[in-house]
Amino acid sequence: MRDKKRSKILYVLYITCLLIFFYLPIVVMMVFSFNSSKSLTSMTGFSLRWYGRLISDGNIMRAVYVSLTIAIFATIISVILGTITAIGLSKNRRIIKDTVLNINNLPIMNPDIVTAIGLMILFSSVMMQKGYLTMLLAHIAFCTPYVITSVYPKVRQLDPSLADAAMDLGATPVEALVKVIIPMLRDGIYAGVLLAFTMSFDDFVISYFVTGNGVENISITVYNMTKRTNPTINALSTIVILVIAILLIVSKLLPAMLKATMKKIMAVALVLLVGFTTFAGIKSNGRTLRVFIPGEYIDPSLVERFEKEHDCDVILETFDSNESMYTKLMSGSEYDILVPSDYMIERLIKEDQLVPIDWDKISNKDKIDPANMGYAFDPDNTYSVPYFVGSVGILYDTNVVAEEDLSEGWELLRNPKYAGNIYMYDSERDSFMIALKSLGYSMNTTDKDEITEAYNWLIDQREKMDVVYVGDDVMDNMISGNKAIAVVYSGDGAYIMAENDNLEYFEPEEGTNEWCDAMVITKSCVDTDLAEEFMDYMLEYDVVYQNSLFVGYTTPITEVREDFKVDEYDGISAYTPNFGAPNNEIFGYQEEDIRAFYSDLWTKVKAY
């Protein structure tokens, strides 16, 4: 008896620990959705501010609309297609069944990224404009195989003579299907409905590559929001979790609820169709500007203001990296304005993807700091208008890091005194930049011996210093004081310093990456006059001030930058990097062989 009781206790403890492991992060996230501060890890008080911001954010509301309608349409269509296919397979020869089922397994087993690229190329090759329809078709394509997999086993369990018996009793073929066969398959169909809806509502990778025209679902919107510390994510996630919980409860009652007639189901579909045709992302003004920009890199209210002032529509689409932007551009997606980084601009110039800017139409050009013009990637600014600028430096806790140790420059990141207390930014080029600069080399070197030496520097650092490579989560971690040193972009450093008074920022004398993100016009631009009006608008004082306040990065507009030093970022050194320092460089374009060499070594660094 004691052994049985002990086993039961251990079993209960095991289940309890398992539930805590699975659900504690969700509970923590829901609690922090009511946090009064921006921090994602430090609770400072109760507030509904993030729910208020969520409701007032039109982009998020449109994303919710897109996710729900896409998921419902994709579920209805894929369930119909999958059920018909499963029933049809049961009437075919074995070789046809096996062939179709094996083909059906391919999209299930295929990595999402492969499916996404394939669909993106397909839509581009048939000249289909990417947007709501392409996303819906893609979701139907990857949901249908799951429905077939759910329904087909139930079809195999049916008596083959059921349909014949129903028709012998006077039923038409359609009546035999609807009143006899489908009710017998309902468990498989319900499973297919839930699976298809979940897969569609949850999808990110495929949606990201097949959408366009400013259409984004929740997954894409949330992913873009993670590029900056945005507690609205917690509020949105909490609501999504609550909705899913309600749906799970409803799903238990689904068999009884779905006894409704097909007419009612069609009525619901019709209502959704009307909603689809009035989708807020579809606009009708005569002039349209298509802008492709990094996520969380522009205040949406400024876009709305430009639309009103110039009587036009701005289709704003976001990307997560320069590389994914380039992939979509090369796949046939067309945009008027891009906001890429320096090295990518150089690549686009070399590949003749951009058109020169008529600087006579940029009335605010004299407001740009000369130090942020004439970079090596575009020496005469023929193709680019600076948007945000900055550097890479070291953020450190003044209570932990000794002032005299700063003289070590980048070697501070290998000082044994700070082992286990360092965040490195998870960036291939910036990490190699640090090592190359520390060794006295150019960060744009193509000498493989120098690159290998930098690789050994990074390996030595990983071995001795126990560094942690992080992304944008470095901001909240440093605000919370989880480590004493971090490699950060200056804009992120300014944001962090504004939240934590113990931190300071410096750029080593060996030099650093001085970067510039700029606006450029593509060769596919339909209305260059409107594009240049937008560029000029984004250089206006009040627009720049509001946008810098929203994003937090350093502006190239001198007057705004000086005012920010006094107002928003008083005493925060990271907001005003040392532009034009003698050893600073800007990333240049890499040829394919060098890019592959760096990439291979970086993979080894991360896997060490």
Side-chain angles (χ1 to χ4, degrees):
M1 289 294 293
R2 288 183 179 178
D3 289 341
K4 287 185 177 180
K5 286 183 178 180
R6 188 177 301 162
S7 297
K8 286 183 178 179
I9 292 172
L10 290 174
Y11 178 74
V12 171
L13 286 173
Y14 170 76
I15 294 298
T16 303
C17 291
L18 201 61
L19 290 174
I20 291 174
F21 179 77
F22 285 145
Y23 295 108
L24 183 60
I26 295 176
V27 172
V28 171
M29 180 269 300
M30 295 177 75
V31 170
F32 274 91
S33 70
F34 300 100
N35 192 10
S36 59
S37 77
K38 291 183 178 181
S39 176
L40 300 178
T41 58
S42 178
M43 192 73 180
T44 59
F46 180 86
S47 174
L48 294 174
R49 63 182 293 199
W50 307 118
Y51 287 91
R53 180 173 294 185
L54 173 65
I55 294 171
S56 63
D57 192 326
N59 289 331
I60 295 178
M61 291 298 101
R62 283 193 291 270
V64 170
Y65 178 89
V66 170
S67 288
L68 285 174
T69 55
I70 288 282
I72 293 171
F73 274 111
T75 299
I76 293 172
I77 298 172
S78 63
V79 166
I80 293 172
L81 292 176
T83 302
I84 292 173
T85 302
I87 294 172
L89 283 177
S90 67
K91 303 297 183 182
N92 279 289
R93 289 178 295 171
R94 183 185 182 113
I95 186 170
I96 295 177
K97 282 191 270 190
D98 290 345
T99 301
V100 172
L101 289 173
N102 285 330
I103 293 173
N104 185 67
N105 288 332
L106 287 176
I108 296 176
M109 300 173 65
N110 233 8
D112 280 353
I113 187 66
V114 175
T115 303
I117 297 296
L119 287 168
M120 180 181 68
I121 294 173
L122 172 64
F123 293 137
S124 296
S125 63
V126 299
M127 306 299 290
M128 183 178 288
Q129 185 178 18
K130 296 183 183 68
Y132 191 99
L133 181 59
T134 53
M135 187 188 291
L136 176 59
L137 292 174
H139 281 229
I140 293 170
F142 72 73
C143 285
T144 301
Y146 289 95
V147 176
I148 295 173
T149 303
S150 299
V151 176
Y152 184 68
K154 291 295 179 182
V155 175
R156 293 187 60 187
Q157 296 173 10
L158 292 181
D159 187 333
S161 61
L162 275 176
D164 294 334
M167 287 186 286
D168 287 343
L169 292 172
T172 64
V174 174
E175 289 175 330
L177 176 65
V178 174
K179 295 183 178 181
V180 179
I181 302 300
I182 290 181
M184 299 291 288
L185 302 175
R186 62 185 180 186
D187 290 341
I189 293 174
Y190 298 153
V193 167
L194 293 174
L195 194 56
F197 184 87
T198 302
M199 293 292 296
S200 176
F201 192 80
D202 188 53
D203 179 72
F204 164 71
V205 175
I206 295 175
S207 299
Y208 184 83
F209 281 94
V210 301
T211 190
N213 204 34
V215 177
E216 295 181 348
N217 60 10
I218 290 178
S219 298
I220 296 174
T221 300
V222 168
Y223 182 74
N224 288 328
M225 288 167 68
T226 61
K227 307 312 289 181
R228 305 286 293 167
T229 302
N230 194 333
T232 311
I233 296 173
N234 290 342
L236 176 61
S237 301
T238 299
I239 293 175
V240 170
I241 289 170
L242 291 175
V243 170
I244 291 173
I246 293 171
L247 288 175
L248 288 174
I249 295 172
V250 170
S251 69
K252 298 298 182 181
L253 307 173
L254 197 58
M257 295 172 62
L258 286 187
K259 287 183 180 178
T261 63
M262 187 61 68
K263 289 182 179 179
K264 290 182 180 179
I265 296 175
M266 293 300 294
V268 173
L270 184 60
V271 171
L272 290 172
L273 184 60
V274 172
F276 162 55
T277 57
T278 57
F279 170 57
I282 299 174
K283 302 177 182 179
S284 57
N285 289 346
R287 302 178 76 190
T288 300
L289 186 68
R290 302 161 297 176
V291 180
F292 204 20
I293 193 169
E296 294 282 293
Y297 221 40
I298 189 171
D299 187 336
S301 65
L302 293 174
V303 176
E304 295 174 7
R305 176 179 151 189
F306 180 82
E307 289 177 320
K308 292 177 181 177
E309 291 181 0
H310 292 79
D311 190 25
C312 67
D313 295 322
V314 176
I315 298 173
L316 191 68
E317 194 171 339
T318 57
F319 58 84
D320 66 321
S321 69
N322 285 284
E323 286 66 33
S324 65
M325 177 276 297
Y326 180 81
T327 299
K328 292 195 76 171
L329 190 66
M330 292 300 104
S331 72
S333 298
E334 294 185 346
Y335 305 97
D336 300 314
I337 292 178
L338 307 175
V339 186
S341 299
D342 32 56
Y343 69 93
M344 185 56 68
I345 295 174
E346 183 177 0
R347 181 175 186 175
L348 294 173
I349 292 172
K350 288 179 179 291
E351 296 178 4
D352 195 28
Q353 296 294 325
L354 306 178
V355 296
I357 293 166
D358 185 351
W359 280 95
D360 290 335
K361 296 179 180 178
I362 310 297
S363 61
N364 294 301
K365 59 180 177 293
D366 293 335
K367 297 178 181 179
I368 303 173
D369 186 344
N372 300 133
M373 297 283 281
Y375 286 113
F377 65 88
D378 186 14
D380 299 318
N381 284 94
T382 304
Y383 300 94
S384 60
V385 176
Y387 185 75
F388 278 124
V389 291
S391 66
V392 175
I394 296 176
L395 193 70
Y396 64 96
D397 189 329
T398 56
N399 294 326
V400 178
V401 179
E403 191 73 22
E404 59 270 19
D405 291 338
L406 301 183
S407 61
E408 298 176 10
W410 292 116
E411 282 297 321
L412 176 69
L413 302 175
R414 293 204 300 176
N415 187 327
K417 187 190 302 184
Y418 306 110
N421 214 6
I422 297 174
Y423 286 124
M424 286 284 286
Y425 200 76
D426 192 359
S427 164
E428 173 188 320
R429 296 204 72 175
D430 286 312
S431 293
F432 270 95
M433 176 276 294
I434 291 168
L436 288 165
K437 285 294 186 182
S438 180
L439 294 167
Y441 303 134
S442 167
M443 67 186 203
N444 290 310
T445 183
T446 57
D447 187 316
K448 292 187 177 180
D449 290 335
E450 293 179 356
I451 299 170
T452 302
E453 195 175 341
Y455 159 74
N456 291 329
W457 190 99
L458 292 170
I459 290 294
D460 179 71
Q461 184 199 36
R462 290 217 70 172
E463 181 180 344
K464 295 179 180 178
M465 300 299 295
D466 190 27
V467 297
V468 177
Y469 281 91
V470 293
D472 292 313
D473 53 330
V474 68
M475 291 189 285
D476 207 55
N477 279 303
M478 288 302 290
I479 290 172
S480 302
N482 293 336
K483 291 190 185 297
I485 299 174
V487 175
V488 296
Y489 294 122
S490 56
D492 293 337
Y495 176 90
I496 297 167
M497 290 174 65
E499 298 289 327
N500 188 333
D501 295 335
N502 295 325
L503 300 176
E504 190 52 74
Y505 175 90
F506 85 103
E507 297 170 11
E509 291 184 1
E510 301 98 316
T512 186
N513 166 25
E514 185 177 320
W515 57 265
C516 174
D517 293 345
M519 298 177 283
V520 297
I521 301 176
T522 69
K523 295 195 77 171
S524 61
C525 181
V526 177
D527 191 341
T528 55
D529 288 337
L530 185 60
E532 285 160 346
E533 287 173 11
F534 182 82
M535 289 179 167
D536 194 40
Y537 167 79
M538 293 307 298
L539 298 179
E540 293 177 8
Y541 177 89
D542 58 333
V543 173
V544 173
Y545 196 99
Q546 183 176 333
N547 200 39
S548 295
L549 191 62
F550 178 84
V551 179
Y553 272 35
T554 305
T555 173
I557 304 302
T558 308
E559 187 179 1
V560 176
R561 195 156 71 204
E562 292 302 315
D563 288 347
F564 257 68
K565 286 166 59 178
V566 177
D567 299 333
E568 305 296 335
Y569 289 119
D570 182 25
I572 296 179
S573 57
Y575 188 75
T576 52
N578 189 15
F579 292 118
N583 296 320
N584 285 0
E585 293 181 83
I586 199 160
F587 280 132
Y589 169 73
Q590 293 176 330
E591 297 294 342
E592 184 60 37
D593 62 325
I594 293 298
R595 189 159 60 244
F597 187 70
Y598 271 106
S599 181
D600 180 58
L601 293 180
W602 177 243
T603 301
K604 293 177 182 178
V605 171
K606 294 297 296 293
Y608 185 79

